[in-house]
Amino acid sequence: MESQIQCAVSLRSFNTFGVEARAAFFAAVRSVDQLRDVLMDARVRDLPRLVLGGGSNVLFTKDFDGLVVKIDIPGYARAGEDDGRHLVHVGAGEAWHATVDRLLGDGLPGVENLALIPGSVGAAPIQNIGAYGIELAERLHSVQVFEPASGSVSSLDVEACRFGYRDSIFKQRPADGRIVVGVTLALPTHWVPVVGYADVEHELKRRDVSHPSARDVFDAVVAIRSRKLPDPQQVGNAGSFFKNPVVSRARRQELVDRFPSIVNYDIGGGRDKLAAGWLIEACGLKGAVRGRAGVYPRQALVLVNLGGATGAEILALAREVQDAVRARFGVELEPEPTVL
Ligand code: EPU
């Protein structure tokens, strides 16, 4: 099995920012057995480890002096029904968007609002992907994880995953070393469209659709995302680079008094979310270019590699954005991707 592990591998094509970094050791695995073999290999057993899916939520700022494992585990199978929901098991290595499309083709709507999100199915629960009114956690039955300590696979239900906004137990306790090898989606048997998000509503109106099918919602979301977000195949990026910051009601009021047009949403529990894209734009940084890194001109929350940027250049721009937003609004922006 040793042949599966390669040395000194460029990670450029394995991260959607398209930045250069080298992995001391690299292996792509297509099954749990292969994963187990790779992790037990004497050359890498005690080294730091990084698990990659589609590489759409990571910024490499230096070489990785350990083992990078790319999860390519395939799989797609109906798994019965539970509590009025269709269960579908999907391998962690499947591409997320292609899976959403396939589900619709199979008459299984429910995740169409999450169309066109880059990355793999296995990466989806790590940051609890969300868009246009839906988060993955709402459409999930369980996550299958490989536990390196025991060498076996177990299943975590939604509660055990401790999902939050762009957050989960896999982010909170990465030291556990659990590796997502599959997810079981739970899709509503009685589907109703989720169209409350203003952008989706407007797009459907523009298309003259009053009773949208799941495919209509999918098409609308694809159109909105294609307009606002750069295609990683063309311009390196990792989607939103920052989370939308959450503040207390009192803090929001203070900010609204000083900046009446600040975009904010009540998220319950006496807390509010601020639109980070608005904050960045208000600092005059939308479209900013620093060397080969930039702030995307159509969505200020997205940082882009304009061609040949290093991770360090992108990180320097991220820090400039954070500093500007802190200075003007006293608000801290937290990066969404993992910075390594
Ligand atoms: N806005 C600006 N200027 C900008 C960008 C946004 O003023 O440059 C304002 C918009 O006008 C709008 C508000 O900010 O009023 C929200 O913008 P948008 O609908 O584009 O969504 P977002 O909050 O910027 C979040 C997610 C996206 C997700 C969309 C739609 C985060 C960090 N990002 O972005 O997720 O697609 O909502 O649900 O929560 C991702 O995580 O990679 C991602 C793309």
Side-chain angles (χ1 to χ4, degrees):
M1 281 298 139
E2 291 205 350
S3 59
Q4 279 178 7
I5 301 178
Q6 300 164 263
C7 298
V9 170
S10 166
L11 298 171
R12 191 184 202 128
S13 58
F14 299 114
N15 73 95
T16 59
F17 261 123
V19 299
E20 187 52 86
R22 243 158 219 283
F25 296 94
F26 178 91
V29 298
R30 291 189 51 83
S31 69
V32 169
D33 287 341
Q34 282 183 5
L35 175 61
R36 190 181 293 113
D37 288 343
V38 163
L39 298 183
M40 277 169 34
D41 188 293
R43 288 175 295 169
V44 298
R45 208 167 33 208
D46 302 320
L47 296 182
R49 186 181 295 157
L50 173 71
V51 178
L52 271 189
S56 57
N57 205 42
V58 62
L59 176 62
F60 290 108
T61 62
K62 52 181 182 296
D63 290 342
F64 189 78
D65 210 9
L67 169 70
V68 172
V69 187
K70 181 166 189 305
I71 304 295
D72 281 342
I73 299 172
Y76 177 97
R78 296 282 290 260
E81 276 187 29
D82 173 64
D83 208 10
R85 300 172 307 167
H86 297 295
L87 302 187
V88 184
H89 177 74
V90 189
E94 298 288 343
W96 173 260
H97 175 70
T99 301
V100 174
D101 195 18
R102 181 169 180 183
L103 288 163
L104 285 189
D106 289 346
L108 294 164
V111 283
E112 54 285 346
N113 296 50
L114 305 180
L116 217 58
I117 295 184
S120 65
V121 167
I126 311 273
Q127 61 155 341
N128 185 19
I129 57 170
Y132 305 106
I134 289 192
E135 282 189 347
L136 179 73
E138 300 165 60
R139 299 287 187 262
L140 203 58
H141 173 268
S142 53
V143 178
Q144 288 73 55
V145 294
F146 177 78
E147 318 249 9
S150 65
S152 60
V153 173
S154 61
S155 191
L156 297 185
D157 64 17
V158 173
E159 193 143 323
C161 292
R162 306 230 191 111
F163 288 118
Y165 166 56
R166 296 292 190 276
D167 199 19
S168 72
I169 194 163
F170 310 109
K171 266 188 141 179
Q172 294 150 16
R173 291 169 53 190
D176 281 6
R178 290 169 166 151
I179 297 173
V180 176
V181 293
V183 307
T184 303
L185 299 170
L187 304 162
T189 43
H190 299 289
W191 175 83
V192 283
V194 176
V195 290
Y197 203 95
D199 274 355
V200 178
E201 220 170 343
H202 294 154
E203 183 62 28
L204 290 169
K205 205 172 240 171
R206 232 168 65 111
R207 293 168 173 242
D208 245 341
V209 177
S210 50
H211 297 287
S213 65
R215 187 55 77 174
D216 290 329
V217 177
F218 176 93
D219 290 342
V221 168
V222 167
I224 297 163
R225 288 188 76 101
S226 306
R227 276 200 299 269
K228 282 196 172 181
L229 300 167
D231 176 353
Q233 306 273 22
Q234 269 140 42
V235 183
N237 76 93
S240 301
F241 194 87
F242 301 102
K243 294 188 196 180
N244 285 325
V246 174
V247 296
S248 68
R249 183 62 35 89
R251 185 86 185 85
R252 184 210 54 178
Q253 201 46 54
E254 235 174 85
L255 286 164
V256 171
D257 290 345
R258 283 173 57 209
F259 309 97
S261 56
I262 197 166
V263 178
N264 63 94
Y265 324 86
D266 182 346
I267 55 164
R271 308 198 45 92
D272 294 87
K273 212 184 246 183
L274 307 175
W278 187 94
L279 300 174
I280 298 166
E281 184 171 351
C283 290
L285 285 168
K286 193 172 186 166
V289 173
R290 301 289 182 265
R292 296 167 294 182
V295 177
Y296 194 56
R298 282 187 257 159
Q299 167 45 294
L301 205 42
V302 178
L303 300 188
V304 291
N305 177 355
L306 296 166
T310 63
E313 276 178 287
I314 294 167
L315 184 61
L317 176 57
R319 295 216 165 110
E320 182 184 340
V321 168
Q322 286 173 309
D323 290 347
V325 168
R326 188 185 309 113
R328 190 167 166 82
F329 300 103
V331 171
E332 210 51 56
L333 291 184
E334 194 190 325
E336 195 187 90
T338 305
V339 177
L340 288 166

